[in-house]
Amino acid sequence: MEANASRQPQGDEELDLGAEVRSAVGRLYRRFRSERADGSLGDTALAVLTWLHKRGPQTLTELSEYGHVAPASMSQTVNRLTSSGYAVRTRDPDDRRKVIFTTTPEGAALATAARTQRNVWLDTQLNALSAADRQAIARASALLGRIADL
């Protein structure tokens, strides 16, 4: 049996399950991303800032690869971050031809605050569920993680 054949849906129930999972994950993702301070950066800029904060200095190419966008698009995002004082651009000490981007203390604080706000929102929602529902979500989360890692 081919590897792909084992992943093919076998009937309408599995097609419906796939649609339900895609819908639920998409809605949760959008809701999670909407949890941020009013007047904060947009989704893309906040995601890039958070990535810089977690991963440390990055080149424009590395950021573009992370964001799955063209360098020109990422350039607009990092320009927004640098002009807002959330990131700085410097020359790479090992290769002066490269520019690297790093968060400023203000950018690190914003990334941390956004992550905290989102985590508090999700933890609040999860804590409002019954123990049985939390166990079901824990199991589903493990399974979805496995699928994501295939």
Side-chain angles (χ1 to χ4, degrees), residues 6-108:
S6 66
R7 294 188 195 152
Q8 296 299 318
Q10 300 300 314
D12 289 342
E13 288 179 13
E14 284 149 9
L15 288 174
D16 291 341
L17 177 60
E20 286 181 34
V21 169
R22 281 188 301 278
S23 176
V25 167
R27 288 189 340 261
L28 180 60
Y29 181 69
R30 285 187 299 278
R31 181 64 175 88
F32 191 68
R33 286 179 63 168
S34 73
E35 283 300 315
R36 63 175 185 260
D38 291 336
S40 181
L41 293 172
D43 288 342
T44 302
L46 190 56
V48 170
L49 182 65
T50 300
W51 180 257
L52 276 173
H53 179 61
K54 283 184 188 177
R55 303 290 178 164
Q58 302 279 307
T59 66
L60 186 66
T61 300
E62 291 167 332
L63 291 171
S64 298
E65 289 170 358
Y66 156 72
H68 303 287
V69 297
S73 295
M74 185 55 67
S75 182
Q76 292 177 353
T77 301
V78 295
N79 284 341
R80 193 171 313 120
L81 292 173
T82 57
S83 68
S84 299
Y86 296 128
V88 292
R89 69 182 82 209
T90 56
R91 292 282 171 193
D92 185 326
D94 298 326
D95 183 347
R96 303 292 294 162
R97 296 171 296 169
K98 291 183 181 178
V99 173
I100 57 173
F101 297 90
T102 310
T103 58
T104 63
E106 294 82 8

Side-chain angles (χ1 to χ4, degrees), residues 122-138:
L122 183 57
D123 290 344
T124 300
Q125 306 317 306
L126 293 172
N127 288 331
L129 299 174
S130 69
D133 284 347
R134 285 193 304 276
Q135 287 175 338
I137 289 176

